[in-house]
Amino acid sequence: MYQENVTLCGASAYEQKYYFNPDFATLPPSVQDELQVMCVLFTEDVGGILLLEFDEEGSLQFKVESLEADAMFDEIGSVLKIKQIRREKEELLESLETYYRVFCMGEEMEDF
């Protein structure tokens, strides 16, 4: 269905905005809310822009960007925060990957 990375959601400390891809509107509202809180808190803590994207294999990737002139962006903090999120939200992230592989890529559950 998709040929390149697909953005699930993201947040920007610069614009103070959150984005959720409407292609994933079938996710339960509680999951959508948890993603929003996770992304917004990340950008509040370390700054910059955070995007959660599915790659070609269906794995969820954390993509972090910052403006070159942003002296307040915490690059080391962003790496540590992503590790923390991956550890604390492991079940959620794995469920999202399974959802994407089944409903967007058309894989069978037996393939896991």
Side-chain angles (χ1 to χ4, degrees), residues 25-35:
T26 57
L27 286 172
S30 61
V31 172
Q32 293 182 36
D33 292 344
E34 192 168 352
L35 288 169

Side-chain angles (χ1 to χ4, degrees), residues 2-47:
Y2 298 106
Q3 298 300 319
E4 53 189 52
N5 287 3
V6 176
T7 300
L8 170 62
C9 59
S12 170
Y14 305 119
E15 296 180 19
Q16 295 185 333
K17 290 187 179 180
Y18 172 75
Y19 168 78
F20 182 79
N21 187 338
D23 290 347
F24 297 99
T26 57
L27 286 172
S30 61
V31 172
Q32 293 182 36
D33 292 344
E34 192 168 352
L35 288 169
Q36 181 175 4
V37 168
M38 183 176 70
C39 290
V40 171
L41 287 178
F42 178 93
T43 57
E44 288 291 317
D45 285 349
V46 299

Side-chain angles (χ1 to χ4, degrees), residues 37-79:
V37 168
M38 183 176 70
C39 290
V40 171
L41 287 178
F42 178 93
T43 57
E44 288 291 317
D45 285 349
V46 299
I49 299 168
L50 172 67
L51 297 174
L52 272 61
E53 297 180 338
F54 291 104
D55 63 17
E56 299 84 22
E57 288 84 35
S59 298
L60 195 57
Q61 304 296 321
F62 287 71
K63 184 177 176 184
V64 180
E65 300 175 4
S66 67
L67 298 176
E68 192 172 315
D70 185 0
M72 298 303 292
F73 177 70
D74 185 358
E75 189 171 347
I76 294 171
S78 73
V79 172

